[in-house]
mmCIF file of all heavy atoms in Angstrom:
data_model
loop_
_atom_site.group_PDB
_atom_site.id
_atom_site.type_symbol
_atom_site.label_atom_id
_atom_site.label_comp_id
_atom_site.label_asym_id
_atom_site.label_seq_id
_atom_site.Cartn_x
_atom_site.Cartn_y
_atom_site.Cartn_z
ATOM 1 N N ARG A 1 -137.859 155.802 -64.383
ATOM 2 C CA ARG A 1 -138.677 156.066 -63.202
ATOM 3 C C ARG A 1 -137.988 157.048 -62.271
ATOM 4 O O ARG A 1 -136.758 157.194 -62.276
ATOM 5 C CB ARG A 1 -138.974 154.778 -62.440
ATOM 6 C CG ARG A 1 -137.740 154.056 -61.902
ATOM 7 C CD ARG A 1 -138.124 152.852 -61.060
ATOM 8 N NE ARG A 1 -137.007 151.930 -60.887
ATOM 9 C CZ ARG A 1 -137.014 150.884 -60.065
ATOM 10 N NH1 ARG A 1 -138.081 150.626 -59.343
ATOM 11 N NH2 ARG A 1 -135.968 150.088 -59.979
ATOM 12 N N ILE A 2 -138.800 157.692 -61.456
ATOM 13 C CA ILE A 2 -138.329 158.567 -60.386
ATOM 14 C C ILE A 2 -138.692 157.884 -59.077
ATOM 15 O O ILE A 2 -139.793 157.343 -58.928
ATOM 16 C CB ILE A 2 -139.005 159.949 -60.467
ATOM 17 C CG1 ILE A 2 -138.697 160.611 -61.811
ATOM 18 C CG2 ILE A 2 -138.570 160.840 -59.318
ATOM 19 C CD1 ILE A 2 -139.544 161.829 -62.093
ATOM 20 N N GLU A 3 -137.774 157.890 -58.137
ATOM 21 C CA GLU A 3 -138.022 157.248 -56.845
ATOM 22 C C GLU A 3 -138.009 158.276 -55.722
ATOM 23 O O GLU A 3 -137.319 159.291 -55.794
ATOM 24 C CB GLU A 3 -136.979 156.164 -56.590
ATOM 25 C CG GLU A 3 -137.040 155.024 -57.597
ATOM 26 C CD GLU A 3 -135.937 154.003 -57.395
ATOM 27 O OE1 GLU A 3 -134.843 154.208 -57.946
ATOM 28 O OE2 GLU A 3 -136.170 153.009 -56.676
ATOM 29 N N ALA A 4 -138.774 157.979 -54.690
ATOM 30 C CA ALA A 4 -138.833 158.821 -53.498
ATOM 31 C C ALA A 4 -137.884 158.269 -52.451
ATOM 32 O O ALA A 4 -137.841 157.054 -52.229
ATOM 33 C CB ALA A 4 -140.255 158.864 -52.947
ATOM 34 N N SER A 5 -137.133 159.136 -51.815
ATOM 35 C CA SER A 5 -136.120 158.667 -50.859
ATOM 36 C C SER A 5 -136.742 157.926 -49.682
ATOM 37 O O SER A 5 -136.175 156.939 -49.198
ATOM 38 C CB SER A 5 -135.279 159.849 -50.366
ATOM 39 O OG SER A 5 -136.087 160.817 -49.727
ATOM 40 N N LEU A 6 -137.901 158.345 -49.211
ATOM 41 C CA LEU A 6 -138.528 157.677 -48.070
ATOM 42 C C LEU A 6 -138.859 156.224 -48.383
ATOM 43 O O LEU A 6 -138.777 155.359 -47.515
ATOM 44 C CB LEU A 6 -139.806 158.407 -47.657
ATOM 45 C CG LEU A 6 -139.645 159.699 -46.847
ATOM 46 C CD1 LEU A 6 -141.022 160.306 -46.546
ATOM 47 C CD2 LEU A 6 -138.899 159.448 -45.540
ATOM 48 N N LEU A 7 -139.245 155.940 -49.629
ATOM 49 C CA LEU A 7 -139.557 154.574 -50.018
ATOM 50 C C LEU A 7 -138.319 153.810 -50.459
ATOM 51 O O LEU A 7 -138.219 152.599 -50.242
ATOM 52 C CB LEU A 7 -140.599 154.577 -51.145
ATOM 53 C CG LEU A 7 -141.971 155.167 -50.780
ATOM 54 C CD1 LEU A 7 -142.877 155.181 -52.002
ATOM 55 C CD2 LEU A 7 -142.619 154.400 -49.637
ATOM 56 N N THR A 8 -137.367 154.504 -51.063
ATOM 57 C CA THR A 8 -136.128 153.854 -51.490
ATOM 58 C C THR A 8 -135.332 153.346 -50.300
ATOM 59 O O THR A 8 -134.648 152.321 -50.383
ATOM 60 C CB THR A 8 -135.265 154.841 -52.305
ATOM 61 O OG1 THR A 8 -136.019 155.314 -53.413
ATOM 62 C CG2 THR A 8 -134.001 154.163 -52.825
ATOM 63 N N ASP A 9 -135.430 154.044 -49.172
ATOM 64 C CA ASP A 9 -134.704 153.639 -47.969
ATOM 65 C C ASP A 9 -135.175 152.300 -47.426
ATOM 66 O O ASP A 9 -134.460 151.660 -46.649
ATOM 67 C CB ASP A 9 -134.842 154.708 -46.887
ATOM 68 C CG ASP A 9 -134.065 155.978 -47.216
ATOM 69 O OD1 ASP A 9 -133.198 155.917 -48.108
ATOM 70 O OD2 ASP A 9 -134.336 157.020 -46.597
ATOM 71 N N CYS A 10 -136.378 151.892 -47.812
ATOM 72 C CA CYS A 10 -136.903 150.605 -47.352
ATOM 73 C C CYS A 10 -136.562 149.532 -48.377
ATOM 74 O O CYS A 10 -137.097 149.525 -49.493
ATOM 75 C CB CYS A 10 -138.420 150.684 -47.155
ATOM 76 S SG CYS A 10 -139.120 149.110 -46.615
ATOM 77 N N LYS A 11 -135.682 148.606 -48.014
ATOM 78 C CA LYS A 11 -135.213 147.582 -48.951
ATOM 79 C C LYS A 11 -136.288 146.565 -49.306
ATOM 80 O O LYS A 11 -136.148 145.824 -50.287
ATOM 81 C CB LYS A 11 -133.998 146.864 -48.369
ATOM 82 C CG LYS A 11 -132.843 147.799 -48.013
ATOM 83 C CD LYS A 11 -132.410 148.632 -49.208
ATOM 84 C CE LYS A 11 -131.244 149.551 -48.850
ATOM 85 N NZ LYS A 11 -130.889 150.454 -49.973
ATOM 86 N N ALA A 12 -137.385 146.516 -48.537
ATOM 87 C CA ALA A 12 -138.448 145.552 -48.802
ATOM 88 C C ALA A 12 -139.398 146.025 -49.890
ATOM 89 O O ALA A 12 -140.311 145.294 -50.277
ATOM 90 C CB ALA A 12 -139.230 145.269 -47.522
ATOM 91 N N ILE A 13 -139.181 147.242 -50.392
ATOM 92 C CA ILE A 13 -140.121 147.848 -51.334
ATOM 93 C C ILE A 13 -139.421 148.212 -52.639
ATOM 94 O O ILE A 13 -138.308 148.729 -52.639
ATOM 95 C CB ILE A 13 -140.764 149.104 -50.714
ATOM 96 C CG1 ILE A 13 -141.708 148.704 -49.574
ATOM 97 C CG2 ILE A 13 -141.525 149.921 -51.756
ATOM 98 C CD1 ILE A 13 -142.226 149.871 -48.785
ATOM 99 N N SER A 14 -140.099 147.948 -53.758
ATOM 100 C CA SER A 14 -139.696 148.452 -55.066
ATOM 101 C C SER A 14 -140.808 149.381 -55.533
ATOM 102 O O SER A 14 -141.994 149.064 -55.374
ATOM 103 C CB SER A 14 -139.516 147.311 -56.060
ATOM 104 O OG SER A 14 -139.211 147.803 -57.361
ATOM 105 N N HIS A 15 -140.452 150.534 -56.071
ATOM 106 C CA HIS A 15 -141.490 151.474 -56.496
ATOM 107 C C HIS A 15 -140.961 152.350 -57.621
ATOM 108 O O HIS A 15 -139.761 152.359 -57.915
ATOM 109 C CB HIS A 15 -141.933 152.355 -55.320
ATOM 110 C CG HIS A 15 -140.974 153.461 -55.013
ATOM 111 N ND1 HIS A 15 -139.756 153.245 -54.381
ATOM 112 C CD2 HIS A 15 -141.034 154.797 -55.267
ATOM 113 C CE1 HIS A 15 -139.122 154.394 -54.258
ATOM 114 N NE2 HIS A 15 -139.864 155.359 -54.793
ATOM 115 N N GLY A 16 -141.842 153.096 -58.225
ATOM 116 C CA GLY A 16 -141.427 154.044 -59.243
ATOM 117 C C GLY A 16 -142.567 154.932 -59.684
ATOM 118 O O GLY A 16 -143.706 154.474 -59.837
ATOM 119 N N PHE A 17 -142.253 156.214 -59.836
ATOM 120 C CA PHE A 17 -143.130 157.144 -60.539
ATOM 121 C C PHE A 17 -142.555 157.211 -61.949
ATOM 122 O O PHE A 17 -141.551 157.892 -62.193
ATOM 123 C CB PHE A 17 -143.122 158.513 -59.867
ATOM 124 C CG PHE A 17 -143.672 158.512 -58.459
ATOM 125 C CD1 PHE A 17 -142.811 158.504 -57.365
ATOM 126 C CD2 PHE A 17 -145.039 158.513 -58.241
ATOM 127 C CE1 PHE A 17 -143.314 158.497 -56.077
ATOM 128 C CE2 PHE A 17 -145.543 158.505 -56.944
ATOM 129 C CZ PHE A 17 -144.691 158.494 -55.860
ATOM 130 N N PHE A 18 -143.147 156.472 -62.868
ATOM 131 C CA PHE A 18 -142.572 156.338 -64.195
ATOM 132 C C PHE A 18 -142.866 157.576 -65.039
ATOM 133 O O PHE A 18 -143.953 158.148 -64.980
ATOM 134 C CB PHE A 18 -143.083 155.069 -64.867
ATOM 135 C CG PHE A 18 -142.485 153.826 -64.262
ATOM 136 C CD1 PHE A 18 -143.068 153.235 -63.149
ATOM 137 C CD2 PHE A 18 -141.322 153.282 -64.774
ATOM 138 C CE1 PHE A 18 -142.508 152.106 -62.561
ATOM 139 C CE2 PHE A 18 -140.747 152.155 -64.197
ATOM 140 C CZ PHE A 18 -141.339 151.570 -63.081
ATOM 141 N N THR A 19 -141.880 157.989 -65.812
ATOM 142 C CA THR A 19 -142.015 159.141 -66.691
ATOM 143 C C THR A 19 -142.585 158.673 -68.035
ATOM 144 O O THR A 19 -143.051 157.549 -68.160
ATOM 145 C CB THR A 19 -140.663 159.825 -66.913
ATOM 146 O OG1 THR A 19 -139.855 159.014 -67.787
ATOM 147 C CG2 THR A 19 -139.919 160.028 -65.596
ATOM 148 N N ARG A 20 -142.513 159.523 -69.043
ATOM 149 C CA ARG A 20 -142.965 159.136 -70.376
ATOM 150 C C ARG A 20 -141.823 158.576 -71.222
ATOM 151 O O ARG A 20 -141.984 158.344 -72.425
ATOM 152 C CB ARG A 20 -143.611 160.325 -71.088
ATOM 153 C CG ARG A 20 -142.658 161.472 -71.389
ATOM 154 C CD ARG A 20 -143.390 162.641 -72.042
ATOM 155 N NE ARG A 20 -143.955 162.277 -73.346
ATOM 156 C CZ ARG A 20 -144.768 163.062 -74.045
ATOM 157 N NH1 ARG A 20 -145.133 164.244 -73.569
ATOM 158 N NH2 ARG A 20 -145.224 162.672 -75.219
ATOM 159 N N ARG A 21 -140.664 158.340 -70.629
ATOM 160 C CA ARG A 21 -139.484 157.890 -71.365
ATOM 161 C C ARG A 21 -139.222 156.393 -71.183
ATOM 162 O O ARG A 21 -139.426 155.852 -70.105
ATOM 163 C CB ARG A 21 -138.259 158.667 -70.902
ATOM 164 C CG ARG A 21 -138.334 160.170 -71.172
ATOM 165 C CD ARG A 21 -137.122 160.880 -70.648
ATOM 166 N NE ARG A 21 -137.076 162.288 -71.033
ATOM 167 C CZ ARG A 21 -136.100 163.120 -70.693
ATOM 168 N NH1 ARG A 21 -135.078 162.696 -69.983
ATOM 169 N NH2 ARG A 21 -136.150 164.379 -71.086
ATOM 170 N N GLY A 22 -138.763 155.776 -72.284
ATOM 171 C CA GLY A 22 -138.343 154.384 -72.209
ATOM 172 C C GLY A 22 -139.339 153.399 -72.775
ATOM 173 O O GLY A 22 -139.236 152.197 -72.512
ATOM 174 N N GLY A 23 -140.304 153.894 -73.581
ATOM 175 C CA GLY A 23 -141.301 153.001 -74.143
ATOM 176 C C GLY A 23 -141.264 152.949 -75.660
ATOM 177 O O GLY A 23 -140.297 153.381 -76.282
ATOM 178 N N VAL A 24 -142.342 152.447 -76.254
ATOM 179 C CA VAL A 24 -142.378 152.215 -77.698
ATOM 180 C C VAL A 24 -143.477 152.998 -78.410
ATOM 181 O O VAL A 24 -143.589 152.914 -79.639
ATOM 182 C CB VAL A 24 -142.556 150.707 -77.994
ATOM 183 C CG1 VAL A 24 -141.391 149.915 -77.432
ATOM 184 C CG2 VAL A 24 -143.895 150.184 -77.459
ATOM 185 N N SER A 25 -144.295 153.741 -77.692
ATOM 186 C CA SER A 25 -145.404 154.459 -78.321
ATOM 187 C C SER A 25 -144.904 155.631 -79.164
ATOM 188 O O SER A 25 -143.802 156.155 -78.932
ATOM 189 C CB SER A 25 -146.390 154.965 -77.258
ATOM 190 O OG SER A 25 -147.016 153.879 -76.599
ATOM 191 N N CYS A 26 -145.736 156.055 -80.113
ATOM 192 C CA CYS A 26 -145.358 157.117 -81.059
ATOM 193 C C CYS A 26 -146.322 158.293 -80.977
ATOM 194 O O CYS A 26 -147.336 158.242 -80.295
ATOM 195 C CB CYS A 26 -145.336 156.569 -82.488
ATOM 196 S SG CYS A 26 -144.237 155.168 -82.741
ATOM 197 N N ASP A 27 -145.956 159.356 -81.697
ATOM 198 C CA ASP A 27 -146.785 160.551 -81.838
ATOM 199 C C ASP A 27 -147.057 161.186 -80.473
ATOM 200 O O ASP A 27 -146.137 161.299 -79.672
ATOM 201 C CB ASP A 27 -148.080 160.215 -82.591
ATOM 202 C CG ASP A 27 -147.805 159.655 -83.983
ATOM 203 O OD1 ASP A 27 -146.856 160.133 -84.635
ATOM 204 O OD2 ASP A 27 -148.520 158.727 -84.395
ATOM 205 N N VAL A 28 -148.302 161.569 -80.200
ATOM 206 C CA VAL A 28 -148.595 162.264 -78.943
ATOM 207 C C VAL A 28 -148.377 161.365 -77.733
ATOM 208 O O VAL A 28 -148.299 161.844 -76.595
ATOM 209 C CB VAL A 28 -150.041 162.816 -78.920
ATOM 210 C CG1 VAL A 28 -150.242 163.857 -79.999
ATOM 211 C CG2 VAL A 28 -151.061 161.689 -79.047
ATOM 212 N N TYR A 29 -148.263 160.054 -77.966
ATOM 213 C CA TYR A 29 -148.094 159.106 -76.863
ATOM 214 C C TYR A 29 -146.629 158.806 -76.552
ATOM 215 O O TYR A 29 -146.347 158.012 -75.649
ATOM 216 C CB TYR A 29 -148.805 157.791 -77.202
ATOM 217 C CG TYR A 29 -150.240 157.966 -77.611
ATOM 218 C CD1 TYR A 29 -150.637 157.774 -78.928
ATOM 219 C CD2 TYR A 29 -151.203 158.340 -76.683
ATOM 220 C CE1 TYR A 29 -151.956 157.934 -79.312
ATOM 221 C CE2 TYR A 29 -152.528 158.511 -77.049
ATOM 222 C CZ TYR A 29 -152.904 158.306 -78.368
ATOM 223 O OH TYR A 29 -154.205 158.472 -78.742
ATOM 224 N N GLU A 30 -145.712 159.401 -77.278
ATOM 225 C CA GLU A 30 -144.290 159.093 -77.109
ATOM 226 C C GLU A 30 -143.870 159.286 -75.644
ATOM 227 O O GLU A 30 -144.071 160.346 -75.071
ATOM 228 C CB GLU A 30 -143.468 160.004 -78.011
ATOM 229 C CG GLU A 30 -142.004 159.661 -78.032
ATOM 230 C CD GLU A 30 -141.188 160.619 -78.899
ATOM 231 O OE1 GLU A 30 -141.778 161.542 -79.507
ATOM 232 O OE2 GLU A 30 -139.967 160.453 -78.950
ATOM 233 N N SER A 31 -143.280 158.254 -74.986
ATOM 234 C CA SER A 31 -143.060 156.933 -75.538
ATOM 235 C C SER A 31 -143.537 155.847 -74.570
ATOM 236 O O SER A 31 -143.908 154.756 -74.993
ATOM 237 C CB SER A 31 -141.570 156.752 -75.853
ATOM 238 O OG SER A 31 -140.774 156.646 -74.695
ATOM 239 N N LEU A 32 -143.567 156.105 -73.258
ATOM 240 C CA LEU A 32 -143.943 155.076 -72.270
ATOM 241 C C LEU A 32 -145.395 155.263 -71.812
ATOM 242 O O LEU A 32 -145.684 155.329 -70.621
ATOM 243 C CB LEU A 32 -142.984 155.106 -71.074
ATOM 244 C CG LEU A 32 -143.054 153.925 -70.097
ATOM 245 C CD1 LEU A 32 -142.582 152.634 -70.761
ATOM 246 C CD2 LEU A 32 -142.231 154.209 -68.842
ATOM 247 N N ASN A 33 -146.305 155.362 -72.755
ATOM 248 C CA ASN A 33 -147.716 155.522 -72.411
ATOM 249 C C ASN A 33 -148.267 154.237 -71.812
ATOM 250 O O ASN A 33 -148.239 153.186 -72.440
ATOM 251 C CB ASN A 33 -148.522 155.905 -73.657
ATOM 252 C CG ASN A 33 -150.015 155.935 -73.393
ATOM 253 O OD1 ASN A 33 -150.461 156.303 -72.305
ATOM 254 N ND2 ASN A 33 -150.791 155.551 -74.397
ATOM 255 N N ALA A 34 -148.801 154.325 -70.580
ATOM 256 C CA ALA A 34 -149.343 153.149 -69.893
ATOM 257 C C ALA A 34 -150.859 153.200 -69.785
ATOM 258 O O ALA A 34 -151.455 152.412 -69.056
ATOM 259 C CB ALA A 34 -148.735 153.043 -68.490
ATOM 260 N N GLY A 35 -151.480 154.134 -70.516
ATOM 261 C CA GLY A 35 -152.918 154.335 -70.393
ATOM 262 C C GLY A 35 -153.740 153.447 -71.309
ATOM 263 O O GLY A 35 -153.803 153.672 -72.517
ATOM 264 N N ARG A 36 -154.406 152.454 -70.735
ATOM 265 C CA ARG A 36 -155.290 151.597 -71.520
ATOM 266 C C ARG A 36 -156.492 152.377 -72.055
ATOM 267 O O ARG A 36 -157.107 151.976 -73.037
ATOM 268 C CB ARG A 36 -155.771 150.426 -70.660
ATOM 269 C CG ARG A 36 -154.694 149.396 -70.365
ATOM 270 C CD ARG A 36 -155.208 148.357 -69.400
ATOM 271 N NE ARG A 36 -154.298 147.229 -69.255
ATOM 272 C CZ ARG A 36 -154.416 146.295 -68.310
ATOM 273 N NH1 ARG A 36 -155.404 146.373 -67.431
ATOM 274 N NH2 ARG A 36 -153.546 145.304 -68.238
ATOM 275 N N GLY A 37 -156.833 153.472 -71.409
ATOM 276 C CA GLY A 37 -157.965 154.267 -71.831
ATOM 277 C C GLY A 37 -157.649 155.232 -72.954
ATOM 278 O O GLY A 37 -158.541 155.935 -73.436
ATOM 279 N N SER A 38 -156.413 155.287 -73.394
ATOM 280 C CA SER A 38 -156.038 156.160 -74.510
ATOM 281 C C SER A 38 -156.333 155.462 -75.833
ATOM 282 O O SER A 38 -156.651 154.275 -75.874
ATOM 283 C CB SER A 38 -154.548 156.516 -74.429
ATOM 284 O OG SER A 38 -153.752 155.384 -74.728
ATOM 285 N N ASP A 39 -156.193 156.216 -76.914
ATOM 286 C CA ASP A 39 -156.395 155.645 -78.251
ATOM 287 C C ASP A 39 -155.086 155.144 -78.858
ATOM 288 O O ASP A 39 -154.998 154.913 -80.066
ATOM 289 C CB ASP A 39 -157.028 156.687 -79.173
ATOM 290 C CG ASP A 39 -158.467 156.998 -78.782
ATOM 291 O OD1 ASP A 39 -159.144 156.096 -78.243
ATOM 292 O OD2 ASP A 39 -158.906 158.148 -78.993
#
């Protein structure tokens, strides 16, 4: 994930702009595909 400093500075919040890395999907979906609407 990528975090924004404005939100990271607040200890009461957890957040993330997740990339496509760190998952189990293959082919065009490699690897952290979170789209239920995909095939």
Side-chain angles (χ1 to χ4, degrees):
R1 62 175 162 171
I2 300 168
E3 296 176 273
S5 60
L6 282 179
L7 297 177
T8 303
D9 289 344
C10 179
K11 303 304 181 185
I13 291 172
S14 176
H15 78 286
F17 296 100
F18 288 87
T19 74
R20 65 182 297 172
R21 297 178 173 180
V24 299
S25 295
C26 303
D27 301 322
V28 297
Y29 308 109
E30 187 182 359
S31 71
L32 192 67
N33 174 35
R36 288 174 170 169
S38 71
D39 291 330

